[in-house]
Amino acid sequence: MRRKIAAGNWKMNGLKASLAEVEALKPVCTGECDVILCPPATLVAAMAEVAKGANITVGGQDCHWNESGAHTGDIAAEMLADAGAGAVILGHSERRADHCETDMMVHNKALAAWRAGLQAIICVGETEAERDAGTTLDIIGGQLAGSTPDGATAENTVIAYEPVWAIGTGRTPTLEEIAEVHDFLRGRLVERFGLDGEGFRLLYGGSVKPGNAAEIFAVSNVDGGLVGGASLKASDFSGIIQAANG
Ligand code: PGA
């Protein structure tokens, strides 16, 4: 039985005043599911303070593969851990597109995350053109293999399937399409990691809302969601956490 995850990705949103949303989430963070909130790096330490004692893990949205050094603007996994993070999103499609991140870079970032004791949330997902061309599973399979290092376990790694065309668009795949990709991911993980592959949590991401979360989380091999827009307001995200609570 895999424990569900409700993960929020605040992206480039949030100021100190936004931490009131975290306080407001606490009543629904009752421990039935894992709640992970990934604010911009500027808020990681302050959010970790607010989240203390609650069932909320704070995460980063990216990290560098090196521990320190001359990398202006980058953040090391060790720095996120030092600020109170317990997880980090890696290879989000916005990073892959805006910062030309390759599977190999994501792979190296995952190694860095583990080195610092962070859980790596590795994202994969096809573009609309790739889906239209019928290459979705090839793309997903390639990203999964290339971005996930040997040494991944059900504890140190979570995989998020986020179709690029569903992110921030209000469009979601059908439940059958979500099931197809998640079943495929499960198969690949079991093929590569044996029995442990059964334990990895697989998140769906892309226009998850309070109104569709329960039906998406009920799909086989969907172990929760990675949520962008609807994670910014406690009034929305609490409904999604409750769906993950079951
Ligand atoms: P969205 O974003 O929920 O706003 O579609 C999801 C994501 O990019 O993680």
Side-chain angles (χ1 to χ4, degrees):
M1 193 49 193
R2 293 178 297 266
R3 208 174 140 75
K4 286 215 167 18
I5 298 176
N9 172 10
W10 279 15
K11 308 190 178 183
M12 199 172 74
N13 298 291
L15 301 172
K16 276 184 277 184
S18 318
L19 295 173
E21 301 298 329
V22 182
E23 198 56 54
L25 283 176
K26 286 184 181 176
V28 293
C29 297
T30 44
E32 284 93 344
C33 75
D34 293 339
V35 178
I36 305 175
L37 262 185
C38 303
T42 48
L43 289 180
V44 167
M47 187 182 283
E49 248 340 279
V50 175
K52 240 185 205 149
N55 172 49
I56 299 173
T57 299
V58 178
Q61 298 176 9
D62 174 50
C63 70
H64 197 274
W65 48 84
N66 284 346
E67 198 173 334
S68 62
H71 303 287
T72 303
D74 279 314
I75 293 171
E78 282 77 4
M79 293 169 179
L80 290 172
D82 185 53
V88 60
I89 298 171
L90 297 174
H92 188 281
S93 59
E94 287 151 18
R95 301 278 326 163
R96 291 178 187 263
D98 298 351
H99 298 271
C100 305
E101 287 194 6
T102 62
D103 289 336
M104 184 46 76
M105 289 161 77
V106 179
H107 169 282
N108 291 340
K109 289 173 182 217
L111 292 174
W114 301 341
R115 184 184 67 214
L118 303 179
Q119 190 170 52
I121 303 172
I122 298 176
C123 303
V124 298
E126 83 286 4
T127 63
E128 185 159 31
E130 289 162 346
R131 177 162 283 272
D132 290 346
T135 57
T136 297
L137 297 183
D138 291 339
I139 296 293
I140 303 294
Q143 289 178 341
L144 179 72
S147 305
T148 311
D150 291 337
T153 68
E155 284 70 44
N156 68 17
T157 302
V158 172
I159 305 295
Y161 166 56
E162 300 203 301
V164 178
W165 51 274
I167 294 176
T169 59
R171 294 168 57 204
T172 53
T174 64
L175 298 179
E176 290 70 27
E177 287 168 333
I178 294 174
E180 183 192 22
V181 175
H182 281 249
D183 290 350
F184 171 80
L185 285 168
R186 179 72 61 208
R188 284 289 163 99
L189 289 170
V190 170
E191 230 171 76
R192 184 166 166 197
F193 298 106
L195 250 193
D196 199 44
E198 293 283 1
F200 282 74
R201 268 86 61 86
L202 306 181
L203 308 185
Y204 168 77
S207 297
V208 175
K209 309 279 179 224
N212 64 13
E215 60 176 17
I216 292 174
F217 296 171
V219 172
S220 88
N221 284 316
V222 174
D223 306 306
L226 179 54
V227 183
S231 72
L232 293 171
K233 290 274 164 247
S235 50
D236 289 327
F237 198 46
S238 57
I240 293 171
I241 293 171
Q242 281 169 306
N245 280 342

